[in-house]
Amino acid sequence: MQVLLYPNKLLLQEAQEIGEVDEAVRQLGREMLDTMYAHHGVGLAGPQVGVLKRIVVVNLSGEKDSGEEFVLVNPVIVKRSDELVTRSEGCLSFPGINGPVSRWSRIWVSSLNLDGEEVQIEATGLLSIAFQHEIDHLNGILFVSKLPPASKTVIKSDLNRLKEKALSR
Ligand SMILES: [Zn+2]
């Protein structure tokens, strides 16, 4: 699968809920994981591969056959801590761009797994950040919109470079 890059308009759209976890959804999850590993990413959301469905994949190790693999279907944050943490984030749809984003330090996510069962996951640290970043994608929200003003100024020329690249394609 191809990873869509900013400023592709599909990245700004809201993804639709998945009705049933069938073989097509399982296949989609596997292909998204393979695509994520091919790009050495730690997370990927449906809209980033042009699929406007509520599915995200995460593996903090970024490597196949290592770390813990998550495929979340229709993920919802059902509870969160009040505490925020700020970490530098990047995104496969924004190659070469990084910046600090504040997110909840602990979240509880409810979702379906690839067997169609409802699962609840408590996530802290980088996993909490990764889930929030990917779930944002399902709502058309990109990490660059959450950067502090000074960082937005810093990355402006990089965003313009991506826009020019898209035009010249
Ligand atoms: Zn992203």
Side-chain angles (χ1 to χ4, degrees):
M1 299 179 114
Q2 204 176 343
V3 177
L4 303 184
L5 302 181
Y6 174 88
N8 193 299
K9 287 193 167 61
L10 286 180
L11 295 172
L12 297 174
Q13 298 215 13
E14 196 170 334
Q16 299 299 307
E17 221 166 89
I18 290 174
E20 193 196 341
V21 181
D22 55 14
E23 190 46 39
V25 172
R26 282 187 277 276
Q27 176 72 21
L28 173 61
R30 282 192 293 269
E31 285 180 20
M32 285 174 62
L33 282 168
D34 287 342
T35 304
M36 178 181 79
Y37 295 131
H39 290 84
H40 306 289
V42 297
L44 191 67
Q48 289 182 280
V49 288
V51 178
L52 291 173
K53 290 185 179 166
R54 302 189 81 81
I55 179 170
V56 308
V57 299
V58 169
N59 184 337
L60 293 182
S61 80
E63 306 287 336
K64 201 181 174 91
D65 301 322
S66 131
E68 196 175 356
E69 215 168 59
F70 295 91
V71 181
L72 307 184
V73 174
N74 301 336
V76 177
I77 297 170
V78 290
K79 202 174 138 195
R80 60 172 174 82
S81 63
D82 291 328
E83 194 195 347
L84 295 172
V85 282
T86 304
R87 291 288 290 253
S88 181
E89 292 183 22
C91 179
L92 290 180
S93 296
F94 292 81
I97 296 178
N98 295 280
V101 180
S102 293
R103 300 201 185 265
W104 299 311
S105 65
R106 183 186 297 263
I107 58 170
W108 287 260
V109 176
S110 175
S111 84
L112 298 177
N113 64 18
L114 286 185
D115 295 320
E117 301 160 340
E118 194 166 326
V119 289
Q120 286 244 13
I121 304 165
E122 180 181 351
T124 59
L126 288 179
L127 191 60
S128 173
I129 291 169
F131 283 166
Q132 289 169 75
H133 177 117
E134 300 311 329
I135 291 171
D136 270 355
H137 272 299
L138 302 182
N139 297 317
I141 297 168
L142 303 171
F143 86 106
V144 290
S145 72
K146 296 193 160 180
L147 296 175
S151 301
K152 280 185 179 156
T153 308
V154 168
I155 64 161
K156 204 164 185 171
S157 61
D158 292 318
L159 290 180
N160 285 335
R161 174 177 51 80
L162 286 178
K163 279 183 191 161
E164 282 161 22
K165 236 178 168 179
L167 284 175
S168 66
R169 238 179 247 130

